[in-house]
């Protein structure tokens, strides 16, 4: 499932790059000698992060004071200072402050202060670019203001997309989406077996009747036939086993499409226990403290416990460079000596990653060691000749050493290589600053998943459980029964619903079409039925068609798709029933199925599933999907 996709770890340890590192190791040693003396990683001070949080909190209360005084904070120094602090400290996300800004905006909106509410929502969007509720509420303010329909529509769409911008949000959406689709398929498969049993049970009973001794009384033969067909009801106390037995029993009576769906459902039933166990492992990893801290660090969130947690991870996994890099990036602005020490260790563990050298060069550049930083930027280019960030930073070093022409040539080369990236760097990086490389949350999350989820997944995917073995045995039994029993010879008359075959009394060769002999004589006006017989058969047909029509209409109202399966549109009905069951499960159990759904910040849990449920139900009531009455289809 989603675990297979998530466990594909991003790797950059290429053999060819490792050869280049061997030749560049002397330069790295020289650059390290010019860098600050190594510091012990245990000397890290979380108080530095707490001090930064205090500065952010003071900026927030200053902005809040402007709002409370009744002034417009849009162009106030409090807003510009707040956003400037976030930009200067390279903070990517401030989720808690963004939530507070959204709540303040909603309070101002309730009081009718549209301008202040709009400023609050816009601030929340800048504090947390993945905060979909801020954009969604901003679109609502624009709609109420009037004349901004296009901007409102754009912000609404951006609000829906924003929560999926983070890797962990996409991962959670994929994992939980797979969960409700799996549940929907299982529920639809169970309904499929029941509907097919109702559809084909008379044919099965008639086929059993034909194989019993002819000297038995006809009512006794019918009773034995129904007893055999309904025998799996005795196993209903065991759970799904009655459905499994019925699925095997129905194989000879089903058509090709119906058999494929039964085989597919039995195969899904064989995989359901390992799949659910694997999903439980992936979900437990997603909500683990380690994953939350690591992903928050990769997304440059600011939290008080990041330094402590990352330090513990770096100590617990001394051979993993990822935690050292994330910790160094977090403390580089306030503790450059410790950051340089961590990055040198990471470079030794992973000598082929040019981004580690870039980050180490940035630490040296920001404390004034421009020449040592330039050496590291050149090593990064030796490892990755198309690294535009290294070219951009090296051009800044050349400008600091007054190599104007060489700096311009290097910057032009970077612009030709990646013009979009250089344009963004010119906009977001100061004139005397350097750019940091990207360490995406997807790479970090892959490390977490490989470390924490892989052992649990190996245990979860073991097929040794009762449901899997029983479903596999049912698949084998269905295949054997299909080979030995062939197909059920009896058919049901589409007019009166009676099961009959060529051996039945009164069924002549002339009436071996879709209709039974009685209906053939009734509707084709052939001889063979007395006036009283014609009246009885017409009453039987009317009663059967009315009962089938009412039952299918009611079934389509209660569970869209099941009526289409009974009607014969099996594939369409199963797809519609699966979608409806998935939406129903997501709406009924939103906290269990969607504990971290990416749209929860915009709507209450289960609201999206409820909307999908209603839309599916309405679509299923349209004429192309509504079950067609037998009388309307064939006429009389």
């Amino acid at each position: 499932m989603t675990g297979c996709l998530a466990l594909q770890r991003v790797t950059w340890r290429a053999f060819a790059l490792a050869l280049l590192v061997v030749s560049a190791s002397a330069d790295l040693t020289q650059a390290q000698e010019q860098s600050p003396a190594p510091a012990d990683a245990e000397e890290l001070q979380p108080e530095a992060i707490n001090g930064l949080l205090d500065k952010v909190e003071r900026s927030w209360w200053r902005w809040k004071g402007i709002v409370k005084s009744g002034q417009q904070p849009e162009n106030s120094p409090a807003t510009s200072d707040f956003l400037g602090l976030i930009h200067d400290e390279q903070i990517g996300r401030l989720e808690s402050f963004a939530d507070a800004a959204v709540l303040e905006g909603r309070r101002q909106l309730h009081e009718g202060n549209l301008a202040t509410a709009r400023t609050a929502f816009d601030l929340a969007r800048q504090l947390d670019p993945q905060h979909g509720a801020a954009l969604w509420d901003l679109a609502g303010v624009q709609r109420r203001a009037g004349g901004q329909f296009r901007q409102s529509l754009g912000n609404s769409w951006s609000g829906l997309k924003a929560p999926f911008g983070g890797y962990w949000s996409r991962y959670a959406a994929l994992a939980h989406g797979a969960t409700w689709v799996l549940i929907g398929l299982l529920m639809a498969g169970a309904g499929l077996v029941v509907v097919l049993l109702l559809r084909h049970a008379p044919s099965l009973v008639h086929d059993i009747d034909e194989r019993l001794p002819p000297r038995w009384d006809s009512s006794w033969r019918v009773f034995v036939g129904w007893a055999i067909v309904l025998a799996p009801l005795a196993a209903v106390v065991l759970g799904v086993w009655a459905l499994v037995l019925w699925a095997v029993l129905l194989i000879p009576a089903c058509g090709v499409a119906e058999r494929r769906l039964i085989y597919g459902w039995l195969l899904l039933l064989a995989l359901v226990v390992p799949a659910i166990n694997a999903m439980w492992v992936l979900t437990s990893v997603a909500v683990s403290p380690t994953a939350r801290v690591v992903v928050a660090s990769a997304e440059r969130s600011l939290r008080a416990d990041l330094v402590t947690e990352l330090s513990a991870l770096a100590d617990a996994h001394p051979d993993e460079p990822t935690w050292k890099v994330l910790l160094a990036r977090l403390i580089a602005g306030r503790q450059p000596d410790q950051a340089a020490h961590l990055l040198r260790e990471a470079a030794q563990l992973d000598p082929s990653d040019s981004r580690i050298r870039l980050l180490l060069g940035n630490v040296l550049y920001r404390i004034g060691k421009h020449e040592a930083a330039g050496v590291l930027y050149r090593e990064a280019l030796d490892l990755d000749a198309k690294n535009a960030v290294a070219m951009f930073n090296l051009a800044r070093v050349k400008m600091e050493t007054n190599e104007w022409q060489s700096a311009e040539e290097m910057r032009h080369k970077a612009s030709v290589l990646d013009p979009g990236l250089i344009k963004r760097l010119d906009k977001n990086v100061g004139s005397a600053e350097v750019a940091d490389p990207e360490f995406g949350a997807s790479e970090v999350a892959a490390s977490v998943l490989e470390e924490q989820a892989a052992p649990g997944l190996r245990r979860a995917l073991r097929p040794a459980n009762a449901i899997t073995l029983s479903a596999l045995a049912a698949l084998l039994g269905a295949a054997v029964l299909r080979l030995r029993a062939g197909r059920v010879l009896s058919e049901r008359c589409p007019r009166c619903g009676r099961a009959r075959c060529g051996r039945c009394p009164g069924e002549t060769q002339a009436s071996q079409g879709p209709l039974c002999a009685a209906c053939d004589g009734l509707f084709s006006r052939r001889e063979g039925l007395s006036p009283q017989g014609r009246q009885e058969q017409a009453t039987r047909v009317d009663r059967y068609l009315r009962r089938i029509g009412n039952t299918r209409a009611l079934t389509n109202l209660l569970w869209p798709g099941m009526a289409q399966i009974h009607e014969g549109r099996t594939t369409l009905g199963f797809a519609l029933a699966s979608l409806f069951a998935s939406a129903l499960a997501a709406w009924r159990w939103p906290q269990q199925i969607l504990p971290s759904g990416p749209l929860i910040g915009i709507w209450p849990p289960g609201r999206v599933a409820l909307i999908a449920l209603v839309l599916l139900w309405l679509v299923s009531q349209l004429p192309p999907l509504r079950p067609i009455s037998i009388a309307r289809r064939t006429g009389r």
Side-chain angles (χ1 to χ4, degrees), residues 4-5 82 160 173 183 248 284 318 362 423 532 633:
C4 298
L5 178 62
F82 197 6
L160 292 175
I183 292 176
V248 177
S284 63
N362 290 354
K423 187 176 180 180
Q532 182 180 1
R633 182 172 56 186

Side-chain angles (χ1 to χ4, degrees), residues 33 45 54 60 77 91 111 148 163 262 277 321 331 354 415 443 445 448 464 507 513 587 604 624:
E33 291 174 355
Q45 300 175 3
D54 291 340
W60 163 256
I91 301 173
E111 296 176 358
Q148 299 178 350
I262 289 179
N277 289 338
I331 66 173
S354 62
S415 299
E443 300 178 20
V448 175
E507 296 291 338
W587 168 66

Side-chain angles (χ1 to χ4, degrees), residues 386-618:
K386 295 183 178 181
N387 194 323
V389 178
M391 297 179 187
F392 179 87
N393 291 351
L394 187 56
R396 291 293 170 90
V397 170
K398 292 180 180 295
M399 291 177 64
E400 292 291 336
T401 58
N402 298 325
E403 301 176 52
W404 307 107
Q405 184 176 356
S406 179
E408 184 62 29
E409 292 175 355
M410 183 62 67
R411 189 188 180 286
H412 176 72
K413 184 177 179 181
S415 299
V416 172
L417 185 64
D418 195 340
L421 174 62
I422 300 303
K423 187 176 180 180
R424 290 195 302 272
L425 294 179
D426 287 337
K427 179 180 178 181
N428 299 323
V429 179
S431 58
E433 241 322 315
V434 288
D436 285 331
E438 289 294 329
F439 288 86
S442 58
E443 300 178 20
V444 177
S447 301
V448 175
L449 289 171
E450 182 173 0
E451 176 190 343
Q452 297 192 4
L457 285 176
R458 283 193 290 269
R459 293 190 299 269
L461 294 176
R462 293 174 182 172
N465 62 83
I467 293 180
T468 297
L469 296 179
S470 299
L472 292 176
L475 275 171
L476 179 61
V480 171
L481 187 61
R482 170 69 182 92
L483 293 175
R484 296 298 302 272
R487 289 207 57 177
V488 170
L489 298 178
S490 60
E491 297 179 355
R492 297 189 69 183
C493 175
R495 288 295 185 174
C496 65
R498 186 174 56 185
R500 82 295 190 295
C501 65
R503 299 188 301 270
C504 292
E507 296 291 338
T508 62
Q509 286 298 114
S511 62
Q512 290 307 300
L515 302 180
C516 64
C519 288
D520 187 38
L522 173 66
F523 290 99
S524 64
R525 300 191 181 279
R526 295 177 182 173
E527 298 297 333
L529 283 180
S530 63
Q532 182 180 1
R534 296 180 68 85
Q535 183 62 37
E536 292 177 355
Q537 188 64 18
T539 303
R540 179 197 297 269
V541 169
D542 290 338
R543 189 188 309 119
Y544 174 75
L545 294 181
R546 185 166 52 252
R547 184 177 71 251
I548 289 295
N550 294 337
T551 302
R552 289 179 181 174
L554 179 60
T555 303
N556 195 56
L557 290 175
L558 298 178
W559 191 344
M562 289 301 166
Q564 287 81 353
I565 293 175
H566 191 275
E567 185 183 31
R569 295 185 286 177
T570 310
T571 304
L572 172 64
F574 184 74
L576 188 59
S578 301
L579 291 175
F580 188 81
S582 301
L584 179 64
W587 168 66
R588 179 60 183 83
W589 302 286
Q591 299 295 343
Q592 290 80 1
I593 298 178
L594 298 170
S596 57
L599 297 179
I600 282 183
I602 299 178
W603 297 305
R607 178 70 59 82
V608 178
L610 178 60
I611 294 174
L613 189 71
V614 173
L615 289 178
L616 281 171
W617 187 87
L618 291 175

Side-chain angles (χ1 to χ4, degrees), residues 112-190:
N113 302 324
L114 296 184
T116 306
R118 178 172 181 172
T119 303
F121 294 142
D122 189 64
L123 177 65
R125 176 185 60 84
Q126 297 181 72
L127 295 178
D128 183 5
Q130 298 179 24
H131 206 296
L135 283 165
W136 187 262
D137 291 340
L138 180 60
V141 171
Q142 291 171 335
R143 286 194 298 270
R144 292 183 62 172
Q148 299 178 350
F149 177 75
R150 179 173 296 181
Q151 296 89 334
S152 172
L153 188 61
N155 283 326
S156 298
W157 176 243
S158 300
L160 292 175
K161 294 192 304 180
F164 297 95
Y167 172 83
W168 216 241
S169 297
R170 294 194 299 269
Y171 166 79
L174 184 62
H176 296 301
T179 301
W180 20 293
V181 169
L182 175 64
I183 292 176
L185 290 174
L186 288 173
M187 293 173 64

